[in-house]
Amino acid sequence: MEVNLRYVRDYFAQTKLKRVLVWILEIVLTIGLAALLSMMFCQTVAMQEGSMDPTFSAGDKFLVNKAVYRVSTPKRGDVIAFRTSGDVKASTHIKRVIGVPGDTIQIKDGTILINGETYVEQRNLPAITNPGLAEEGIKLASDEYFVLGDNRNSSVDSRFADMGNVKRENIIGELWFVISPMSKLGFV
């Protein structure tokens, strides 16, 4: 009888140990997979200026989906993070895509014209007082995007030579989740 009890006790001890080991392995794999996915597909960026007010404020932090533009291209209205040049150390900016490759963008009398048609925005933003380079019209090359900040009259964007059009290769990804402040936590 004692042999049977020892056998049962050992069996349950081994089973319990296996469950604990499997549980630990699952946790380690989950953390590893989450870290791998995060490094491959996400990056955090912070809004450093007020160029996207009132949509986003300086200091807001976001997760950027780096994978989305590997399988698709930026669309009009997307909010993107990009570098001003191909240098990894170049400053990162956040703006809204207005023009896509092949478009002609013109800003006339405070209104955005895309290929001669008035662009109707999804938000109520003020008329643009300084059209910059877009006053005469800008034709986008096959790898260029025209971006504007939502704070149209206080944003350095594609209207100005300092920023210019954004090359496809300099786009980091699309903003998709606000991580800070907690009051704005959620999808963009």
Side-chain angles (χ1 to χ4, degrees):
M1 183 79 157
E2 187 172 312
V3 172
N4 286 340
L5 286 175
R6 182 182 302 157
Y7 173 77
V8 170
R9 186 179 39 201
D10 289 346
Y11 174 78
F12 282 115
Q14 287 177 352
T15 303
K16 194 174 196 179
L17 180 62
K18 283 181 186 178
R19 277 193 229 143
V20 169
L21 290 175
V22 167
W23 184 72
I24 290 171
L25 181 64
E26 288 173 346
I27 290 173
V28 169
L29 287 175
T30 302
I31 291 171
L33 182 62
L36 180 66
L37 289 173
S38 177
M39 287 187 299
M40 289 177 58
F41 299 117
C42 294
Q43 179 176 334
T44 58
V45 296
M47 189 75 214
Q48 297 179 15
E49 69 265 344
S51 68
M52 288 298 288
D53 282 338
T55 310
F56 304 118
S57 303
D60 290 358
K61 293 182 182 165
F62 309 90
L63 284 179
V64 175
N65 182 342
K66 295 188 333 184
V68 67
Y69 296 140
R70 291 182 185 162
V71 296
S72 68
T73 58
K75 294 172 281 317
R76 198 176 329 281
D78 287 357
V79 179
I80 62 169
F82 62 94
R83 290 188 183 89
T84 52
S85 72
D87 185 1
V88 182
K89 295 178 183 178
S91 61
T92 301
H93 295 273
I94 297 170
K95 306 285 185 209
R96 186 173 305 280
V97 174
I98 300 299
V100 297
D103 284 348
T104 299
I105 307 297
Q106 184 177 17
I107 300 174
K108 190 174 181 178
D109 299 324
T111 302
I112 301 168
L113 302 173
I114 300 175
N115 302 321
E117 302 282 326
T118 301
Y119 175 56
V120 180
E121 305 221 47
Q122 296 177 1
R123 341 182 137 56
N124 187 17
L125 299 172
I128 298 172
T129 57
N130 182 357
L133 299 172
E135 185 171 23
E136 297 301 318
I138 298 172
K139 174 76 172 163
L140 299 174
S142 63
D143 66 339
E144 292 182 328
Y145 294 84
F146 187 91
V147 297
L148 292 174
D150 285 356
N151 189 354
R152 298 291 159 81
N153 295 310
S154 185
S155 174
V156 176
D157 43 42
S158 291
R159 295 175 288 166
F160 304 104
D162 291 350
M163 171 112 18
N165 298 328
V166 177
K167 298 275 187 195
R168 172 69 182 92
E169 64 196 33
N170 296 335
I171 296 175
I172 298 167
E174 181 180 16
L175 269 64
W176 70 279
F177 197 83
V178 181
I179 57 175
S180 173
M182 291 300 285
S183 62
K184 294 182 179 179
L185 187 71
F187 291 99
V188 173

